[in-house]
Amino acid sequence: MAARKGVQRLTLTMFTHNQCQLCVHAKDALEKVRQQVPFVVKEVDIRSPGNEAWFEEYKHDVPVVHVNNEFLLWHRVDVADTVAKLQKIRGSDSTDQPDTASDDAGK
């Protein structure tokens, strides 16, 4: 599916580590967000070698999510709020997003 002209591609970076329970919940919530707003997600384990700067920055705050290299959120993912923020960043708004009823009807 080609992106519409003027719509920004989104890359989310999730700063995490393997003992982060909030990160598990955040990943689940981000999957719900992705159903409404497409994005690519990459994970950065702040405890991995080479990520010392991220560890110092976020050691008490994971999960932290950036979008296109800019801070988006930390700790908990509110699905509706995150969808709204990502739609705004993409250059779209709810007026050009079909609701699920009309989307299903048009298929």
Side-chain angles (χ1 to χ4, degrees):
M1 173 184 283
R4 292 179 297 156
K5 187 174 183 177
V7 174
Q8 191 175 149
R9 292 184 64 149
L10 301 176
T11 300
L12 273 61
T13 304
M14 182 174 175
F15 297 91
T16 184
H17 61 74
N18 64 0
Q19 296 176 352
C20 172
Q21 288 304 306
L22 283 177
C23 298
V24 173
H25 300 292
K27 289 177 192 178
D28 291 343
L30 285 174
E31 282 306 314
K32 292 176 184 175
V33 172
R34 192 184 343 219
Q35 293 172 4
Q36 299 178 59
V37 181
F39 58 83
V40 174
V41 66
K42 65 179 184 174
E43 291 185 28
V44 174
D45 184 335
I46 64 170
R47 293 183 175 174
S48 291
N51 292 334
E52 291 82 5
W54 291 121
F55 178 80
E56 287 304 316
E57 182 79 19
Y58 295 135
K59 62 186 168 191
H60 300 296
D61 293 314
V62 291
V64 175
V65 178
H66 289 188
V67 59
N68 298 348
N69 299 314
E70 298 289 332
F71 177 84
L72 178 66
L73 60 88
W74 63 356
H75 300 161
R76 301 195 186 276
V77 177
D78 178 284
V79 173
D81 184 55
T82 305
V83 166
K85 287 178 181 178
L86 293 177
Q87 286 176 336
K88 183 176 181 180
I89 292 167
R90 282 183 76 220
S92 62
D93 61 35
S94 61
T95 60
D96 69 1
Q97 297 294 317
D99 63 46
T100 55
S102 63
D103 189 50
D104 291 339
K107 291 183 179 177

